[in-house]
Amino acid sequence: MITPTKSGLPYLIVTFAIIGLALIGFRHFVSGVPFFPGAKITVWSVEAKIRFDAGGGSAQANFVLPNAPANFVLINERTASPGFGLHFNTVGDTRYAEWSIREAKGRQTLYYLVEFEEKENPNAVKPTPPKIEKKRFLNSLATAANSVLEQAQAKSVDNFSLARTLINDFKTPNEQAQLLLQNSNAAQRIVELLMLANIPARTIDVVLLEDNARQQSLNMWLQVFDGDKVTVLDPKGLINPNTNRWIVWEQNDGAVFDLIGGSGSTIGFSMMKKQVPLITSLREPEHEPGLLDVSIHSLPLSEQTVFKSILLVPVGVLIVVFMRILIGLKTSGTFMPVLIAIAFMQTSLLTGLIGFLCIVGTGLVLRSYLSRHNLLLVARIAFVILSVILIMAFFSVISFQLGLTEGLKLTLFPMIILSWTIERMSILWEEEGPKEVVRQGSGSLFVAILAYLAMTNPLVRHLTFHFIGLQFIFMALVLWCGTYTGYRFSEIKRFAVFAK
């Protein structure tokens, strides 16, 4: 039953519910955001965050922009550069963003965001072969270059197979290859050797697309030509270019970023994959959003990826509130199941369960030993924290030696929370016995699994990220549950005799 109150709490609950429903309705009917995932197009948002130190005078920054990749269609781009003037220039087939300011001092931050639709681009810019310029190697470097090139040519049949052979040779370099790598990287040396064999090739700067990645760097890849054909290769041999999960950012042997009037520049790329309705992707991006249309999407992409996970936490919190107040299930700690569920999201459910049981079980054994020495609370907790770190390291090493790489993910567990869990369960064992420990521990794991299943559901992830109004609905439900004073579901059987 709900406790009647004159405090105005019911009105607050209704207000939160109305605000939430209004925001959800606006996002769906006005902004065109669908209620269900699986929209018509797949869009990759890539944000470049440029930071540099201005010297106090004028500053000018030129940044190369991507230009019509083969497997993606550019549908939107925008910048954020308070105080800077912005111009877009094109030189040949290279596009630039040029920022300028008359006076700037201290740390400066520039943003460039581009959105690509994942599909074949009929207007893709076809790369042209570079002019062959043979590097002149001297003394021992000349001998090493000729030796490596001759050995690779003997194991290849065309330009592309020669490039792949050189990549393999530099992955496990022999004495000659190691000599070539002393003052250069593998990508640059491979291009020089290919040029030496009259094969057009160049290094290109590539962005690897990974959902929710933050502050990634550009990767130097190879572009090799054979007549009218061209291929792209990863000089480290780690990524298969045929996966199409990459975008060429610069391919004209130039600098990606030029800075005048500043120093200490850094560039980090954040990216996110999302399903967007066609009507939303075609909206004019230059308009200023209204008050109700402001959402997480207006933040920089690096912050969006953080909030995409944070906005799932209220789902787990609501499940904990429901299970504890309405169902009456006991857990070890109030919201520890939510933290465990977040750890499960990083490790996978099975790995997380095994890791949690191993760490907590071993920690309880060590904690029982401490009980004999009557240590002070601070020292006891500190020892448990150190023990948890060692336990996690031990199980990670053992699992790696056994070939179980999933065990390395145990480091994603919250160490402090695990330590307090061990301490709490140990005290509970001493005061109420092992039965209560098993009861609360199993209850915590059960709620954590429920929260994990809800927080990893594609529909839940879609709704929480795209409809900020859901947070008001969650607040209303939590307040409503807080006014409940009736029997818990688990107590109905216990007090059934009084009903008779």
Side-chain angles (χ1 to χ4, degrees):
M1 59 178 292
I2 303 299
T3 303
T5 176
K6 298 181 180 180
S7 64
L9 186 59
Y11 300 104
L12 184 60
I13 295 174
V14 173
T15 300
F16 280 146
I18 292 174
I19 293 174
L21 292 174
L23 290 175
I24 292 172
F26 185 89
R27 289 285 291 165
H28 177 69
F29 296 107
V30 179
S31 299
V33 180
F35 283 131
F36 297 96
K40 295 183 180 179
I41 64 173
T42 300
V43 172
W44 282 92
S45 297
V46 182
E47 178 191 76
K49 183 178 181 180
I50 306 168
R51 306 188 73 185
F52 65 92
D53 294 313
S58 61
Q60 179 178 324
N62 293 322
F63 182 57
V64 174
L65 307 181
N67 190 14
N71 300 310
F72 298 89
V73 176
L74 192 153
I75 61 175
N76 182 24
E77 62 180 350
R78 60 180 181 268
T79 63
S81 49
F84 283 80
L86 174 64
H87 301 280
F88 290 98
N89 298 323
T90 301
V91 179
D93 58 355
T94 303
R95 299 169 58 241
Y96 295 90
E98 181 182 299
W99 288 279
S100 58
I101 190 171
R102 183 168 297 277
E103 184 176 350
K105 186 176 182 180
R107 198 66 168 168
Q108 307 294 319
T109 303
L110 307 173
Y111 291 97
Y112 170 75
L113 175 67
V114 61
E115 293 183 332
F116 293 101
E117 180 183 353
E118 192 176 284
K119 71 174 184 179
E120 292 294 327
N121 187 355
N123 300 318
V125 176
K126 186 176 181 180
T128 56
K131 181 181 178 180
I132 294 180
E133 298 179 355
K134 297 184 180 181
K135 180 179 177 62
R136 184 180 178 185
F137 293 95
L138 300 176
N139 303 326
S140 59
L141 287 180
T143 303
N146 291 327
S147 174
V148 172
L149 183 58
E150 289 175 0
Q151 294 176 17
Q153 287 175 326
K155 296 182 287 185
S156 58
V157 295
D158 57 15
N159 295 359
F160 301 149
S161 61
L162 175 59
R164 294 189 182 95
T165 302
L166 288 173
I167 289 173
N168 290 329
D169 290 342
F170 279 100
K171 283 175 61 179
T172 54
N174 54 27
E175 185 176 348
Q176 289 83 3
Q178 288 179 346
L179 180 62
L180 292 174
L181 290 176
Q182 285 183 356
N183 298 315
S184 182
N185 57 58
Q188 193 61 48
R189 284 305 191 203
I190 292 173
V191 169
E192 292 170 353
L193 293 177
L194 291 174
M195 289 281 196
L196 200 62
N198 295 314
I199 297 175
R202 64 161 64 96
T203 58
I204 59 176
D205 294 301
V206 171
V207 173
L208 300 181
L209 298 179
E210 180 183 355
D211 192 18
N212 294 333
R214 301 178 64 203
Q215 300 304 310
Q216 302 295 302
S217 302
L218 287 170
N219 294 266
M220 183 180 290
W221 281 16
L222 304 175
Q223 196 175 65
V224 184
F225 296 82
D226 190 350
D228 294 333
K229 299 178 181 179
V230 61
T231 190
V232 174
L233 300 171
D234 174 18
K236 297 180 180 178
L238 301 176
I239 306 297
N240 180 11
N242 294 327
T243 58
N244 296 330
R245 286 293 183 266
W246 50 271
I247 293 176
V248 177
W249 202 271
E250 195 282 328
Q251 61 177 1
N252 290 312
D253 297 320
V256 175
F257 183 68
D258 287 325
L259 177 63
I260 301 175
S263 61
S265 61
T266 60
I267 305 175
F269 292 86
S270 302
M271 56 212 68
M272 180 186 299
K273 181 181 179 182
K274 52 187 177 182
Q275 302 294 324
V276 180
L278 184 59
I279 186 174
T280 302
S281 67
L282 296 178
R283 294 282 175 88
E284 183 64 35
E286 304 297 332
H287 77 284
E288 290 293 332
L291 180 62
L292 292 178
D293 202 28
V294 173
S295 68
I296 298 300
H297 301 81
S298 61
L299 295 174
L301 195 63
S302 54
E303 277 67 38
Q304 287 188 43
T305 56
V306 175
F307 273 99
K308 194 171 185 179
S309 299
I310 291 177
L311 291 174
L312 290 170
V313 174
V315 177
V317 168
L318 186 62
I319 291 177
V320 172
V321 170
F322 179 81
M323 296 301 294
R324 284 179 64 95
I325 296 179
L326 300 183
I327 304 299
L329 190 65
K330 287 189 176 182
T331 61
S332 179
T334 306
F335 293 106
M336 188 197 72
V338 179
L339 299 175
I340 297 175
I342 294 174
F344 287 169
M345 292 174 63
Q346 304 296 324
T347 61
S348 77
L349 182 58
L350 181 60
T351 302
L353 280 173
I354 296 175
F356 179 84
L357 293 175
C358 290
I359 294 172
V360 173
T362 307
L364 284 174
V365 174
L366 293 175
R367 174 59 179 79
S368 64
Y369 171 77
L370 295 180
S371 299
R372 308 172 187 174
H373 300 283
N374 298 321
L375 292 178
L376 295 175
L377 177 63
V378 175
R380 192 169 66 235
I381 291 295
F383 183 86
V384 173
I385 292 175
L386 296 176
S387 301
V388 167
I389 295 174
L390 289 177
I391 294 169
M392 294 170 67
F394 174 78
F395 282 118
S396 297
V397 171
I398 294 298
S399 63
F400 180 76
Q401 293 296 326
L402 296 176
L404 304 174
T405 56
E406 287 292 315
L408 300 177
K409 297 180 179 179
L410 293 179
T411 55
L412 297 172
F413 273 106
M415 292 177 290
I416 304 300
I417 299 302
L418 286 177
S419 302
W420 275 106
T421 300
I422 293 171
E423 175 68 16
R424 184 184 179 89
M425 286 187 174
S426 179
I427 295 175
L428 192 66
W429 188 299
E430 295 171 357
E431 294 179 350
E432 301 189 30
K435 183 177 180 181
E436 188 64 21
V437 172
V438 173
R439 181 182 179 185
Q440 292 192 17
S442 59
S444 297
L445 284 180
F446 178 73
V447 176
I449 293 174
L450 289 181
Y452 165 82
L453 294 176
M455 295 163 69
T456 54
N457 183 274
L459 177 60
V460 173
R461 296 173 69 90
H462 170 81
L463 292 175
T464 54
F465 182 65
H466 291 282
F467 296 93
I468 195 69
L470 267 180
Q471 306 305 317
F472 289 93
I473 302 295
F474 293 154
M475 293 168 67
L477 290 174
V478 168
L479 291 177
W480 178 81
C481 290
T483 62
Y484 181 76
T485 58
Y487 285 125
R488 275 63 169 170
F489 181 79
S490 58
E491 295 174 339
I492 293 179
K493 182 178 180 181
R494 176 185 175 191
F495 293 103
V497 65
F498 294 103
K500 296 179 181 180

